[in-house]
Amino acid sequence: MLKISVESVEPGAVLAKPIVSDTGITLIAEGVEVSGPIKKRLASMGITEVFVTGKRVPGIPKEEFVANVNASFIKTEGDPRMDAMKRALLAHIEELY
Amino acid sequence: MLDIERVRGKVERTNAIPTIPLVIRKIVKAVENPATSPAAVSRLVSSDPALTAKILKVINAAMYGFVARISSVNQAVVLLGMNVVRALLLGISMFEMMEQTTVGLWKHSLGCAIVARLLAQKKGIFDPEEASVAGLLHDIGKVVLSVQFPKEYQMAVTTARDRSMLLPDAETEIFSMTHAAAGAYFANTWRLPEFVVESIRHHHQPSATKAAPLHTATVHMADTLVKAYNVGFSGDTFVSAVHGYAWEVFDFSEAQMKEIFAEIGDTTAQVDDFFKNPKK
Ligand SMILES: [Fe+2]
Ligand SMILES: [Fe+2]
């Protein structure tokens, strides 16, 4: 599931969470394809971002991402909490691809 | 090395920069005066529709996680208060001025604003909107220094990279001060709210402030997380260790940090999107 702006929803993407009004009424159900007309409807409701199913494809290859992280953390090696932060980030990257 | 008083003087006289558009000067001048009414500010801003669109876009992105909540300058003033809006106006116009050369820094700052808000919300410690503003402006000193000393600032960035130094150390060698100090002089000259000035001045050393420790710790932690994730480019190649005081405030476990990085991941995509569609 990913949260993106309505404008950048790709054709074929479906809602991973329903659109619910302030009073709790479901306006557009989960699983509905975010087609052109649906986008217009969302715009008329003032909704600019939605949850859709699928995984985000990061803009850079995994190896590059990992290499960047390793390079960034060079100065804090051996600091236990910074090492934990780095491990947390690498674990997150592992799940992205 | 440049003389500290000379640097300070130029940082504090940023209103003399010829490239600042007239409308921005008028606005900044007007908002500087505490007697100016919110309506007068929104009238001035609204006289430039392109500027209005830009400002609302940044406010919605930074303060409300891209959910368009604010649709007029007037509403922004009502919801956020004059002080916050004038800080935003000044910050946005400074970034806009150098749009081309500092997209990386703009992204870093916007990312930091969004993450600072997220952290403030998670801890429930203070107004998330204040966290966003402080996050958005924390590196304004880099903008000011590179507007006033373009060659020297570029040199600081390349020196830090080539000699594998932390950026503030390279800045100190050249300017006799860091971007944190420069930003604080600037913010103080424009009489931005105290929590903004303090979190700019001490965002590398959050324990050094008595006036706004939580804001500063939040910006410090957000800055580190965003740098670690490589959202945009702050000019600094290396992450520095989070300060002990900030760890006390945000005693995240490794699992919690992983969750936060996942949220930052969503944010990065939105930030990229924001810069890809400038007309939106
Ligand atoms: Fe900084
Ligand atoms: Fe920063």
Side-chain angles (χ1 to χ4, degrees), chain B residues 97-135:
Chain B
M97 245 163 51
M98 4 190 9
E99 203 164 25
Q100 289 318 310
T101 48
T102 52
V103 172
L105 184 60
W106 219 159
K107 281 190 183 180
H108 166 75
S109 303
L110 195 52
C112 189
I114 295 162
V115 175
R117 168 176 160 267
L118 189 100
L119 294 178
Q121 272 173 338
K122 270 196 197 304
K123 282 283 159 185
I125 42 180
F126 59 89
D127 189 3
E129 275 87 45
E130 290 189 358
S132 319
V133 184

Side-chain angles (χ1 to χ4, degrees), chain A residues 22-38:
Chain A
D22 290 342
T23 50
I25 298 160
T26 300
L27 302 172
I28 306 176
E30 184 184 328
V32 168
E33 186 188 332
V34 188
S35 57
I38 293 285

Side-chain angles (χ1 to χ4, degrees), chain B residues 108 138-139 142 167-168 179-180 200 203-204 223 227 234 236:
Chain B
H108 166 75
H138 78 286
D139 274 339
K142 291 178 182 173
L167 181 63
H179 66 268
I200 292 173
H203 72 270
H204 302 137
D223 187 27
K227 255 190 225 170
S234 66
D236 207 339

Side-chain angles (χ1 to χ4, degrees), chain B residues 182-241:
Chain B
Y185 283 134
F186 173 79
N188 206 28
T189 306
W190 292 103
R191 291 203 275 283
L192 298 190
E194 186 181 37
F195 76 88
V196 175
V197 179
E198 284 291 296
S199 42
I200 292 173
R201 191 188 328 265
H202 298 296
H203 72 270
H204 302 137
Q205 273 167 314
S207 64
T209 168
K210 289 204 169 56
L214 287 178
H215 292 86
T216 310
T218 305
V219 169
H220 174 73
M221 181 58 96
D223 187 27
T224 309
L225 292 167
V226 163
K227 255 190 225 170
Y229 205 99
N230 289 293
V231 182
F233 179 59
S234 66
D236 207 339
T237 318
F238 306 106
V239 170
S240 322

Side-chain angles (χ1 to χ4, degrees), chain B residues 137-156:
Chain B
L137 300 179
H138 78 286
D139 274 339
I140 197 76
K142 291 178 182 173
V143 181
V144 177
L145 286 175
S146 42
V147 167
Q148 297 294 58
F149 303 96
K151 272 209 311 283
E152 289 87 349
Y153 200 76
Q154 194 46 49
M155 200 162 87

